[in-house]
Amino acid sequence: MYIPHIVEAVKIARTKGLVIPIVYNSSGYENVDSLRMLEGTVDIYLPDLKYFYNELGEEYSKVKNYFEVVKDALIEMRRQVPENIFDENGI
């Protein structure tokens, strides 16, 4: 599992002056417990929701319950980062 290493690396980088936002780009098919380990580390979650129907997830990505897993992951991501924040340029 890489998440503990990611969290530790970000902590070290921040103590050395890193001030850029941390973006977690993923498939969206994430374990909620794993996402909880990232709380306070990630500034922007960037999931890629591929399918609304589980059947498509099973056919094309070979995973069961795709939408339920992604839905729970999205809820957790939003819980951690509840507000959209934009700069003066709308970015």
Side-chain angles (χ1 to χ4, degrees):
M1 177 178 284
Y2 297 106
I3 291 177
H5 301 290
I6 293 168
V7 171
E8 186 61 25
V10 171
K11 282 182 188 176
I12 292 168
R14 285 181 173 158
T15 65
K16 296 181 181 281
L18 181 73
V19 294
I20 61 171
I22 301 301
V23 178
Y24 189 76
N25 186 359
S26 75
S27 68
Y29 192 82
E30 299 281 338
N31 179 290
V32 171
D33 291 332
S34 295
L35 290 171
R36 287 187 182 131
M37 289 191 287
L38 291 168
E39 188 163 4
T41 301
V42 173
D43 300 298
I44 300 166
Y45 283 100
L46 190 59
D48 181 13
L49 176 63
K50 291 177 176 54
Y51 321 107
F52 182 78
Y53 298 105
N54 287 323
E55 297 79 20
L56 295 176
E58 193 163 350
E59 182 176 350
Y60 296 115
S61 293
K62 308 300 184 229
V63 296
K64 296 194 181 284
N65 301 321
Y66 175 86
F67 187 74
E68 285 77 17
V69 171
V70 173
K71 176 182 62 82
D72 291 343
L74 292 173
I75 290 168
E76 176 59 21
M77 292 174 190
R78 191 61 170 181
R79 183 193 69 76
Q80 289 183 29
V81 184
E83 295 183 33
N84 296 327
I85 301 171
F86 299 97
D87 67 11
E88 62 280 354
N89 298 312
I91 297 174

